[in-house]
Amino acid sequence: MKVIGFNQGQIGDLVMNLIPCKSIKEKDPNIHITFGINKKYESIKPIFYKNKFIDDFKIWENYDNWPSENDSKFLQDNHFDKVYNPMPPHVYANWWIKYHHTEEVCMMHEIEPPEDLQIYLNPWFDKLEAYKNYVAFSPFASTAVPNRNMPVDLANKIINFIHSLGYKTIQLGLKTDPEINTTIRPIGGAIFEDAKIAYSCKMLITVDTGMNWIMSGYKQKVLGFLSAASYPIYAPVINRMPRNPNAIYLENYNMMDINFNLIKENILKLLEL
């Protein structure tokens, strides 16, 4: 049996859709899964290499008006037994009150969620030795959703603390993101290159970003910062953040109001100091 999907959304959405793949493979390992990625985010493809839940890839031509003529021809020529809509609607309004994000993704595809919602990514590449004494920062979500970005003042305060411990810092993200006082900042690194850096560092400090979801797949140490004002109705952290046994998420209505002693305490914990 051959199936093709799944969500062709942004980086975090793509990573979340490994959970429907996981559910399918756990029920029948012989099902052949082609994982769809829109050409807009084609650079993320290497992150999914050598993944036990993916057998092949398809780069979709269209994003908003899927499928394009070429996409439709590909589907017709390959005779899939099941085609999962890359952009299905949400099943439940205010889903975050009751369900984890990946559970809702499964239900959007009419797939029963697996018991274990831990995302699996295979770190098939070597760690970059140059970053072994760095802490990675991804403090800007680069999204129109309000309250997701970390205030620059808070980011710089955290950076100063990390530098005082003898570690260096690196800022990851878009070239258009505000600059913070990290030791270095890559010049517009591709998402896969940034992921290799983040995985090679001691830990990642982030907000609600795609990098947060990627690092959860690698079980990298993560300290995440969240605003309780990001959703119109309060969303429990456990439902909107990836399952990662090595992650700690701190939240307040305003990020600047998170107790700084608590921040320092958890940085020391994750750095094992």
Side-chain angles (χ1 to χ4, degrees):
M1 183 174 179
K2 297 195 308 179
V3 304
I4 186 169
F6 286 85
N7 192 303
Q8 59 161 325
Q10 298 183 36
I11 293 164
D13 299 309
L14 285 161
V15 176
M16 289 177 208
N17 275 271
L18 285 171
I19 297 299
C21 295
K22 179 179 187 176
S23 181
I24 290 171
K25 283 288 192 180
E26 286 181 351
K27 289 180 174 60
D28 186 350
N30 295 316
I31 292 178
H32 185 281
I33 297 178
T34 298
F35 193 75
I37 302 172
N38 186 267
K39 65 180 180 181
K40 184 177 180 180
Y41 296 102
E42 186 174 2
S43 64
I44 196 178
K45 181 180 174 181
I47 289 170
F48 300 107
Y49 287 172
K50 301 182 182 181
N51 193 296
K52 60 187 177 182
F53 302 126
I54 296 174
D55 299 297
D56 203 353
F57 296 93
K58 167 60 182 172
I59 305 301
W60 297 120
E61 186 176 77
N62 270 18
Y63 187 83
D64 293 322
N65 298 310
W66 180 89
S68 69
E69 183 177 338
N70 288 334
D71 292 335
S72 294
K73 186 176 186 305
F74 173 83
L75 294 173
Q76 292 168 2
D77 291 347
N78 285 272
H79 306 290
F80 290 97
D81 297 288
K82 175 70 176 180
V83 177
Y84 290 97
N85 184 344
M87 299 293 278
H90 278 284
V91 177
Y92 297 103
N94 301 331
W95 55 264
W96 55 83
I97 298 173
K98 185 176 180 182
Y99 299 105
H100 186 261
H101 208 148
T102 57
E103 289 180 296
E104 170 66 2
V105 168
C106 286
M107 290 184 288
M108 288 162 67
H109 293 297
E110 299 182 344
I111 294 171
E112 183 181 355
E115 290 186 14
D116 180 8
L117 300 177
Q118 168 73 51
I119 288 166
Y120 168 81
L121 286 171
N122 183 6
W124 53 268
F125 48 85
D126 293 330
K127 286 190 175 184
L128 303 172
E129 185 71 12
Y131 296 102
K132 67 179 183 180
N133 288 317
Y134 275 77
V135 171
F137 263 79
S138 184
F140 306 115
S142 302
T143 175
V145 178
N147 306 306
R148 285 193 179 179
N149 292 335
M150 180 182 290
V152 170
D153 289 347
L154 176 58
N156 287 331
K157 192 175 179 181
I158 295 169
I159 288 166
N160 290 339
F161 175 67
I162 291 171
H163 289 173
S164 75
L165 298 173
Y167 293 97
K168 298 178 180 180
T169 53
I170 181 169
Q171 180 178 351
L172 305 177
L174 302 177
K175 288 189 289 185
T176 53
D177 288 342
E179 288 197 33
I180 52 178
N181 297 331
T182 48
T183 309
I184 56 174
R185 176 180 181 176
I187 303 173
I191 185 64
F192 177 54
E193 298 305 315
D194 279 2
K196 287 195 291 185
I197 291 171
Y199 182 61
S200 302
C201 290
K202 289 287 186 181
M203 61 179 287
L204 170 70
I205 294 179
T206 186
V207 291
D208 187 4
T209 59
M211 190 61 68
N212 177 34
W213 288 89
I214 293 170
M215 288 304 108
S216 74
Y218 295 142
K219 296 185 179 179
Q220 169 64 308
K221 294 178 180 179
V222 172
L223 182 61
F225 289 76
L226 306 169
S227 165
S230 295
Y231 287 79
I233 300 174
Y234 179 71
V237 173
I238 194 171
N239 284 347
R240 55 191 171 114
M241 287 295 101
R243 300 290 169 83
N244 179 359
N246 299 316
I248 298 170
Y249 295 106
L250 303 179
E251 179 186 53
N252 203 307
Y253 192 83
N254 297 308
M255 287 188 202
M256 282 298 297
D257 293 333
I258 297 173
N259 183 282
F260 196 68
N261 286 329
L262 181 63
I263 294 172
K264 292 193 293 184
E265 176 186 318
N266 282 291
I267 289 173
L268 293 172
K269 180 179 180 180
L270 290 169
L271 290 175
E272 298 181 3
L273 298 176

